[in-house]
Amino acid sequence: MKYEPLDSRVDGVTLFEDRAEVRRLSAVTLPAGVHGLQIGGLSLSTDDGSLLIAATPEPPGLPDPGGIRVLSAAIRRQRHTEGADAAAREAALQRVEAARAALVACCDRRARLQDQLQRQEALCQGWIGGFAATPAAADQPGWEAGWKALQSALEPLTCAVRDAAIAIDDATREADLAERRYAAACVVRQRFAAAAEIQLQLDAPATLRLELRYLTPCALWRPAHEARLLSAPGAPDRPTVAWQGMAVAWNATGEAWEGVALTFSTARPGRAADPPLLQEDRLSLRPKTEEERRTVRVEAREVDIRQAGEEGRRDVGSLPASRTAASP
């Protein structure tokens, strides 16, 4: 059966000392028949056996038309492979090769310009040596014209070598960027997701409100307290103590709980419990004897309370009463 994906939101979370109960809501309009629905966003660590599904008419308050049955509900975990396709990797490789070729061309051009610049500088040095060895009566205007010609050819070569060095820096950055993009295109990532797959049967078309409840570990809460010493106005020698109680919550489930109402509960669903002993207690009334009046008798009954969990597990003490707050 093909499952239709639905959007959902977390409507409330009840935090215990070792787990959390999540309440997730979704709405859908369906015709009559059998339908497969998929609600994603669940934690990978969700307890499969704790999943509960309720389908009611939407909006709330409408009479139940009947004929709404949940046939099955299960949590399916899937692995998704994310990465660029072969065409994208080939295009990225071509950009790398083009960037490398452009860098090689820039390096060759700078090498040629540097050779020309060295020859021109050698000519200038030769001119200086020849001018120093020439007698003073020699043709000074001719030497000056030759020097101006050498200088006019030297300056453009110097600027060209400098521009070639800048071009090499730009081409190097482009080649590095292309190589990083190619490396990123070759990375294959594994993504894991969990979703609730539900099969519903409707005898008539209806708009439904789906409510999911499930337990998940990796989320809990602990009480925290803060005491402050305050100076009383007008009586600095008689300070007062301000005591504040808080709740600290942890969420490592992978689910987003922004703006969700949190309920901090002292219940312990992870502990096994036995029902109380059912026995008849018969009461009778009679006068006390003299001995009974002088003696106080105390009776106690021992009851074995079993707890879930392995031996050696640290026992958590009693917690304060539950309270409700909004998550940050």
Side-chain angles (χ1 to χ4, degrees):
M1 173 180 289
K2 183 178 180 181
Y3 289 87
E4 177 185 355
L6 296 180
D7 294 331
S8 65
R9 61 180 178 87
V10 178
D11 184 66
V13 177
T14 301
L15 288 168
F16 303 101
E17 64 179 22
D18 60 349
R19 67 196 65 196
E21 182 186 51
V22 183
R23 180 171 177 263
R24 187 178 289 270
L25 300 179
S26 181
V28 62
T29 301
L30 299 172
V34 178
H35 304 276
L37 305 175
Q38 185 182 72
I39 299 178
L42 278 67
S43 172
L44 290 173
S45 58
T46 300
D47 182 8
D48 296 45
S50 66
L51 179 62
L52 297 176
I53 307 293
T56 56
E58 178 71 14
L62 291 180
D64 191 350
I68 303 174
R69 291 178 293 277
V70 178
L71 302 180
S72 65
I75 297 177
R76 181 179 297 275
R77 295 168 178 82
Q78 298 178 343
R79 180 182 65 181
H80 304 279
T81 301
E82 297 181 356
D85 54 9
R89 290 196 298 270
E90 182 64 25
L93 180 59
Q94 292 179 0
R95 287 192 291 269
V96 170
E97 295 175 351
R100 289 175 178 173
L103 179 59
V104 172
C106 291
C107 293
D108 293 342
R109 182 172 182 274
R110 186 181 65 173
R112 293 193 299 270
L113 291 173
Q114 285 180 339
D115 291 341
Q116 296 178 13
L117 180 60
Q118 290 176 359
R119 289 195 296 269
Q120 194 68 19
E121 290 176 346
L123 291 176
C124 292
Q125 292 296 329
W127 183 95
I128 293 174
F131 181 77
T134 301
D139 185 11
Q140 297 293 336
W143 282 98
E144 183 178 357
W147 175 253
K148 291 182 178 179
L150 291 175
Q151 287 296 319
S152 62
L154 183 63
E155 292 180 0
L157 286 175
T158 304
C159 295
V161 171
R162 182 189 58 198
D163 295 341
I166 296 175
I168 288 177
D169 293 339
D170 295 339
T172 302
R173 286 192 294 269
E174 290 294 332
D176 293 341
L177 179 60
E179 290 178 355
R180 288 196 298 269
R181 289 177 176 174
Y182 175 69
C186 295
V187 173
V188 177
R189 299 179 180 87
Q190 301 293 335
R191 300 293 184 185
F192 298 88
E197 293 185 349
I198 309 167
Q199 289 187 8
L200 294 176
Q201 183 176 358
L202 280 70
D203 295 341
T207 299
L208 301 180
R209 179 176 181 265
L210 300 178
E211 178 180 335
L212 283 71
R213 289 181 179 269
Y214 52 89
L215 294 175
T216 176
C218 305
L220 51 89
W221 80 284
R222 288 292 183 272
H225 304 90
E226 181 180 1
R228 293 184 180 180
L229 189 63
L230 304 179
S231 299
D237 56 337
R238 294 183 179 180
T240 59
V241 177
W243 186 268
Q244 182 179 7
M246 298 170 289
V248 181
W250 287 267
N251 175 21
T253 62
E255 297 188 18
W257 293 350
E258 291 86 358
V260 177
L262 302 180
T263 300
F264 303 98
S265 175
T266 58
R268 298 181 177 182
R271 300 288 180 87
D274 292 332
L277 300 178
L278 300 180
Q279 297 178 352
E280 287 188 357
D281 290 335
R282 295 186 178 184
L283 304 179
S284 60
L285 182 64
R286 64 175 177 80
K288 289 185 177 181
T289 64
E290 291 297 331
E291 181 67 22
E292 289 174 344
R293 291 178 181 177
R294 292 192 298 266
T295 305
V296 177
R297 183 178 178 182
V298 180
E299 293 184 355
R301 177 185 299 173
E302 294 184 358
V303 179
D304 183 19
I305 301 176
R306 296 184 300 172
Q307 298 180 350
E310 301 177 357
E311 295 184 359
R313 177 181 176 185
R314 181 180 179 184
D315 188 18
V316 180
S318 299
L319 302 178
S322 60
R323 64 195 70 179
T324 304
S327 64

